[in-house]
Amino acid sequence: MADLLRSGPAPRARLRELLAGPRPVVAPGAYDALSARLVEQAGFDVVYMTGFGTTASLIGRPDVGLLGGAEMVDNARRIVAAVDVPVIADADTGYGNAINVVRTVRSYEQAGVAGVHLEDQVMPKKCGHMSGKAVIGADEMTGKIRAAVAARHDPDFLVIARTDAAAVEGLDAALDRARAYADAGADLLFVEAPTSEDDTARVARELAGVAPLVFNWAEGGRTPPLPLDRIAELGFALVLFPIGTLLAATAGIRALLATLAADGTPAAALPGVPSFDEFTDLIGLPEIRDLEERFGS
């Protein structure tokens, strides 16, 4: 976990090192600083800031383009400050045209994230596993990727190009777009929401050697939930598990509230949740006490 007084190893260089390894990098989703700390404590090497979860947690609404760039960057900054592992963040469409993308990339970079993914949807966008999406022209998106690459100050900052065109224009068009985005300088390619294992395998086969690939294991989404070994066999470099933590938290809160409503107190639900002392330990109270002894309070 992030030490309040020390910095961990350079997260962007670490992420590139991980992605060059023999197995896919697994990045569970986090929607706030607490869920990010839990991902890190569980032993994962990378945290993924989910836009779906950020929208749900901040405003209690679906991921349909309701948040702006400043809100997303603020959430990313808090998540980065809570952990020492690299953070990859959803940057939606870049929140405008190529000039907006320049500001978006610089803002995320200043927030400390190790990389972002940018998508080719029309704004306001939708979650990649929802219906009713629309995409901008491939040429316009290529310009946005070029702008993103030019805007970064740290060459280790990752620009991930996502295309949602498979659901709109078909898989052939999505693959053509992915190749164009790689030519524009994208570090990784993210073909969103293939709807069969055959389509997923085709993405992996046709883009092999073009750029490292992202697989979005969207819990309950349109892409078949392949085993990790199969994803590795296909050659994907990065696997996102974007909303499982959000869904689990929702289930836990619902269960506790149901007990409270039925019994008048939450007592019967408490054996299944962390104790007060356990929770304060996991969010860093011992470190605060050490600092109090060191500096006085």
Side-chain angles (χ1 to χ4, degrees), residues 44-121:
F44 293 97
D45 293 319
V46 178
V47 168
Y48 170 62
M49 189 193 88
T50 158
F52 184 106
T54 296
T55 306
S57 64
L58 288 184
I59 62 173
R61 296 296 180 183
D63 182 15
V64 291
L66 297 175
L67 292 187
E71 293 165 303
M72 292 285 285
V73 170
D74 281 347
N75 200 42
R77 184 178 294 109
R78 288 189 290 269
I79 287 174
V80 168
V83 298
D84 280 330
V85 298
V87 176
I88 298 170
D90 187 345
D92 295 315
T93 65
Y95 312 104
N97 62 19
I99 309 307
N100 298 107
V101 166
V102 169
R103 181 168 184 253
T104 294
V105 166
R106 290 189 173 174
S107 296
Y108 273 99
E109 190 174 10
Q110 289 162 5
V113 304
V116 295
H117 67 74
L118 296 160
E119 67 200 47
D120 55 8
Q121 283 196 52

Side-chain angles (χ1 to χ4, degrees), residues 1 28-44 47 82-83 245 249 274 279 282-283:
M1 291 179 295
Y31 50 88
D32 63 5
L34 174 59
S35 56
R37 286 175 74 96
L38 292 171
V39 169
E40 184 181 40
Q41 288 174 16
F44 293 97
V47 168
V83 298
T245 55
F279 186 79
L282 74 86
I283 58 173

Side-chain angles (χ1 to χ4, degrees), residues 13-274:
R14 176 59 179 152
L15 178 57
R16 285 189 177 268
E17 178 185 334
L18 289 167
L19 289 168
R23 293 280 295 175
V25 175
V26 172
Y31 50 88
D32 63 5
L34 174 59
S35 56
R37 286 175 74 96
L38 292 171
V39 169
E40 184 181 40
Q41 288 174 16
F44 293 97
D45 293 319
V46 178
V47 168
Y48 170 62
M49 189 193 88
T50 158
F52 184 106
T54 296
T55 306
S57 64
L58 288 184
I59 62 173
R61 296 296 180 183
D63 182 15
V64 291
L66 297 175
L67 292 187
E71 293 165 303
M72 292 285 285
V73 170
D74 281 347
N75 200 42
R77 184 178 294 109
R78 288 189 290 269
I79 287 174
V80 168
V83 298
D84 280 330
V85 298
V87 176
I88 298 170
D90 187 345
D92 295 315
T93 65
Y95 312 104
N97 62 19
I99 309 307
N100 298 107
V101 166
V102 169
R103 181 168 184 253
T104 294
V105 166
R106 290 189 173 174
S107 296
Y108 273 99
E109 190 174 10
Q110 289 162 5
V113 304
V116 295
H117 67 74
L118 296 160
E119 67 200 47
D120 55 8
Q121 283 196 52
V122 171
M123 194 67 182
K125 52 75 56 83
K126 291 182 170 65
C127 166
H129 291 259
M130 292 178 182
S131 60
K133 296 187 293 182
V135 292
I136 62 175
D139 288 345
E140 181 181 356
M141 183 63 182
T142 300
K144 291 169 79 166
I145 297 299
R146 290 201 310 270
V149 172
R152 62 185 173 190
H153 290 172
D154 185 346
D156 281 332
F157 182 92
L158 288 176
V159 174
I160 303 170
R162 170 176 143 181
T163 178
D164 286 70
V168 182
E169 301 176 342
L171 191 58
D172 287 342
L175 291 168
D176 287 343
R177 282 173 176 258
R179 294 184 190 98
Y181 303 163
D183 289 342
D187 297 293
L188 284 86
L189 300 176
F190 179 173
V191 177
E192 176 66 304
T195 56
S196 69
E197 183 172 347
D198 286 346
D199 282 352
T200 301
R202 185 180 170 206
V203 168
R205 182 175 63 252
E206 296 203 19
L207 297 179
V210 177
L213 302 178
V214 178
F215 182 89
N216 191 19
W217 209 104
E219 297 88 339
R222 297 189 175 194
T223 301
L226 303 181
L228 187 59
D229 284 346
R230 175 60 173 153
I231 297 169
E233 178 185 298
L234 291 171
F236 286 89
L238 174 65
V239 185
L240 308 178
F241 291 86
I243 62 171
T245 55
L246 175 70
L247 300 178
T250 301
I253 293 168
R254 276 180 167 176
L256 184 138
L257 292 175
T259 299
L260 175 58
D263 298 352
T265 78
L270 295 182
V273 302

